[in-house]
Amino acid sequence: MSKQALSIGIIIGNRDFFPDSLVEKARTEIIEVFSKLKLKPILLETTDTKLGGVETYKDSQKCAELFKKHSEELAGILVLLPNFGDERGVADTLKLANLNVPVLIQAYPDELSKMNVVNRRDSWCGKISVCNNLYQYGIKYTLTSQHVSHPSDPIFQKDLKDFLAVCRVVKGLKNIRIGAIGARPGAFNTVRYSEKILQRNGITVVTADLSEILGKANKLTKDDASVKQHLEKINAYASKGKTPNDAMIQIAKLDVVLNDYVDEYQLDATAIQCWTSLQQNFGCNVCTSMSIMSENMLPSACEVDVTGTLSMYAMQLASGSPSALVDWNNNYANDPEKCVLFHCGNWAKSFLPDVEISNAPILGTSVGVENTYGALDGRTPAMPLTYGRISTDDPKGIIKAYIGEGELTDDPLKTFGNRAVAKIGNLQGLMNHVCRNGFEHHVVMNASKTGAILEEALGNYMGWDIYNHKG
């Protein structure tokens, strides 16, 4: 979903007394833009309606029927206004199609040297009228960063790319299937969540008992072809460091069963019980398998943090790159705008150029370090940062989230596990918001700048309560 090509429906608004040439040219121009961006346009042919535009109610019916035929593939709708357009035609098309997908409203700019009857567009005004009608109809829509912009303008093309990311997030979240493997660790009330609130928003949670996973893994042996295959995959993914061979076998056996479970139930993401049942009952950490899944765009969160892995998936859809679940863990010396992000060792390899399979020293103090191999060790270098967290607020019966942007830095940091230093404007204000609103100690990071995309997708289209932190 995060990488595949998207199909976008196009409504070309028209008003009859404006020049036909404007509509004809707009159709050619937007098809060229879509070709450049490798997008599939779904739009009326010039023989279906006058110039392939939408003006009358019959035009709306034809366009809506076309969209409904492609409903399975359509991720969003672009409204193109080469002239004032007919606001009712646009609104009726969207109402009749009833696709409930994101809608981007574009309007062409006029040229001062071409304000005569033959060339005048009035799209600036028409866009306001279209938005007014969509607001009346209760249809949600997205605006371009400038009120009017030409399809060939880099500003519009960036808007279109951002809109595509919004479409990916909305489409992906409405169909996601998350595997919750094992029970929430008893000491982690912070990762509680509401399955019912999630389901009402199209998010399905598929549960599995950890004992069933471990039982299947225990039946495998080092001589099984599947175990050998997964062991090769793991060795190719990261250096084994000082990890004993027996521990590598355990990690591979667990990896086989987890991958089979994901395939069997067609899961998009997982949240796995780790602390401390896996170490005590199976003798290894699951971090390496989780890292591989996250790197392969199947995000995986520990401690059965279902809304944590949901946050990972949303950010992955927005950026097209892997996400990582982290702890807001430590202050960074006396710098009020920096902090340390940390976890035992399950971050995607994209964040860990020096990754090595190791153990988990903190967890090892209670279960024995020899039972914690499988945790990854590695430092995240400087890169862009989008962070955030989706959570169910059960007392209010809502889904809420906070998001923001910052930077990951190369500041010195001598410690173990997966670690990074983040610089975030007004970090103290952000921590105040996190604590005041009962958010979890887990947050998600992504190497991108996608805060505005997530705010539009989660807030405008999903209807969730969003706080976008501005430093």
Side-chain angles (χ1 to χ4, degrees):
M1 183 64 223
S2 58
K3 293 181 178 179
Q4 69 188 33
L6 296 178
S7 295
I8 301 294
I10 300 174
I11 300 172
I12 304 178
N14 188 23
R15 184 155 287 191
D16 194 43
F17 53 75
F18 285 89
D20 291 348
S21 61
L22 299 178
V23 176
E24 290 172 333
K25 192 172 183 183
R27 192 176 193 280
T28 301
E29 288 167 343
I30 199 61
I31 290 174
E32 288 177 356
V33 171
F34 270 49
S35 176
K36 174 183 173 183
L37 299 179
K38 294 181 171 55
L39 297 173
K40 180 181 178 182
I42 306 295
L43 74 170
L44 292 169
E45 297 293 338
T46 54
T47 53
D48 294 331
T49 63
K50 181 182 178 182
L51 308 171
V54 173
E55 182 175 8
T56 68
Y57 189 69
K58 287 186 176 180
D59 294 343
S60 297
Q61 289 177 310
K62 289 180 180 179
C63 193
E65 284 302 315
L66 174 66
F67 288 168
K68 284 193 281 190
K69 287 179 183 177
H70 295 271
S71 60
E72 290 298 315
E73 61 179 296
L74 272 177
I77 304 292
L78 169 64
V79 176
L80 207 65
L81 296 175
N83 59 41
F84 190 97
D86 189 286
E87 62 266 27
R88 293 172 305 172
V90 172
D92 285 339
T93 299
L94 294 170
K95 179 184 176 182
L96 292 168
N98 194 29
L99 297 178
N100 195 27
V101 297
V103 178
L104 178 65
I105 313 297
Q106 179 271 356
Y108 271 75
D110 272 302
E111 298 178 49
L112 282 179
S113 61
K114 296 181 179 179
M115 295 288 283
N116 54 13
V117 174
V118 178
N119 295 292
R120 182 166 159 160
R121 297 178 183 274
D122 292 358
S123 305
W124 179 291
C125 189
K127 179 174 179 177
I128 299 171
S129 296
V130 166
C131 292
N132 174 275
N133 275 256
L134 296 187
Y135 186 87
Q136 291 184 45
Y137 281 53
I139 296 170
K140 297 174 182 178
Y141 51 90
T142 296
L143 301 175
T144 51
S145 55
Q146 293 189 358
H147 187 64
V148 292
S149 55
H150 197 280
S152 63
D153 193 319
I155 293 174
F156 170 75
Q157 294 188 20
K158 183 182 184 304
D159 287 340
L160 182 56
K161 289 177 183 178
D162 287 348
F163 176 70
L164 298 175
V166 170
C167 293
R168 286 197 304 265
V169 175
V170 173
K171 187 176 179 68
L173 292 186
K174 286 182 177 179
N175 297 281
I176 184 175
R177 291 170 57 82
I178 300 174
I181 302 173
R184 169 183 58 80
F188 284 83
N189 279 359
T190 186
V191 295
R192 285 173 169 174
Y193 68 98
S194 170
E195 274 193 56
K196 292 181 179 180
I197 294 175
L198 292 179
Q199 191 67 70
R200 182 60 64 92
N201 286 265
I203 300 157
T204 300
V205 178
V206 181
T207 60
D209 194 304
L210 184 62
S211 66
E212 296 178 9
I213 301 295
L214 298 186
K216 290 179 180 178
N218 274 322
K219 291 178 181 178
L220 297 172
T221 72
K222 63 181 177 62
D223 297 320
D224 287 324
S226 59
V227 175
K228 290 180 178 178
Q229 180 185 359
H230 281 250
L231 184 58
E232 289 179 5
K233 179 185 74 172
I234 292 166
N235 280 317
Y237 182 77
S239 167
K240 65 176 285 190
K242 297 180 180 178
T243 305
N245 291 334
D246 288 348
M248 292 293 292
I249 295 296
Q250 289 295 91
I251 296 167
K253 288 160 63 175
L254 190 57
D255 194 62
V256 170
V257 177
L258 287 173
N259 278 265
D260 287 347
Y261 176 71
V262 169
D263 289 340
E264 180 180 357
Y265 291 96
Q266 293 294 288
L267 302 177
D268 301 292
T270 53
I272 304 174
Q273 180 183 353
C274 175
W275 195 293
T276 57
S277 182
L278 267 167
Q279 294 77 18
Q280 292 174 331
N281 296 299
F282 198 68
C284 73
N285 268 37
V286 69
C287 301
T288 300
S289 292
M290 296 169 72
S291 174
I292 294 172
M293 286 191 285
S294 294
E295 182 71 15
N296 291 326
M297 311 301 265
L298 293 167
S300 188
C302 51
E303 294 154 16
V304 201
D305 188 355
V306 167
T307 51
T309 200
L310 175 64
S311 308
M312 294 172 72
Y313 193 67
M315 289 196 182
Q316 168 186 299
L317 290 168
S319 67
S321 63
S323 304
L325 187 79
V326 311
D327 283 353
W328 290 117
N329 213 70
N330 314 88
N331 58 292
Y332 188 81
N334 296 318
D335 193 326
E337 294 198 333
K338 290 181 182 177
C339 66
V340 175
L341 305 178
F342 173 84
H343 235 225
C344 296
N346 64 346
W347 297 355
K349 189 167 69 170
S350 292
F351 296 97
L352 307 170
D354 58 346
V355 65
E356 181 180 273
I357 300 174
S358 185
N359 52 44
I362 295 177
L363 185 56
T365 60
S366 59
V367 299
V369 172
E370 69 279 4
N371 293 314
T372 67
Y373 283 103
L376 297 177
D377 184 82
R379 165 66 195 269
T380 301
M383 57 179 66
L385 171 65
T386 294
Y387 59 84
R389 172 78 203 196
I390 299 169
S391 181
T392 58
D393 190 324
D394 300 14
K396 293 181 179 179
I398 64 170
I399 297 179
K400 63 185 181 183
Y402 68 89
I403 50 179
E405 296 177 354
E407 303 291 338
L408 297 177
T409 75
D410 284 329
D411 289 298
L413 181 63
K414 293 183 179 179
T415 187
F416 50 85
N418 289 173
R419 55 215 185 260
V421 177
K423 181 176 182 179
I424 297 169
N426 189 20
L427 177 60
Q428 302 305 310
L430 173 62
M431 291 299 99
N432 185 278
H433 181 85
V434 168
C435 293
R436 287 283 184 193
N437 291 278
F439 280 102
E440 298 80 351
H441 68 293
H442 287 166
V443 66
V444 171
M445 67 176 183
N446 189 277
S448 66
K449 295 287 187 177
T450 50
I453 291 167
L454 290 162
E455 181 179 19
E456 181 73 3
L458 305 183
N460 187 20
Y461 291 107
M462 298 302 292
W464 299 347
D465 188 353
I466 306 300
Y467 169 69
N468 190 351
H469 179 71
K470 305 294 184 181

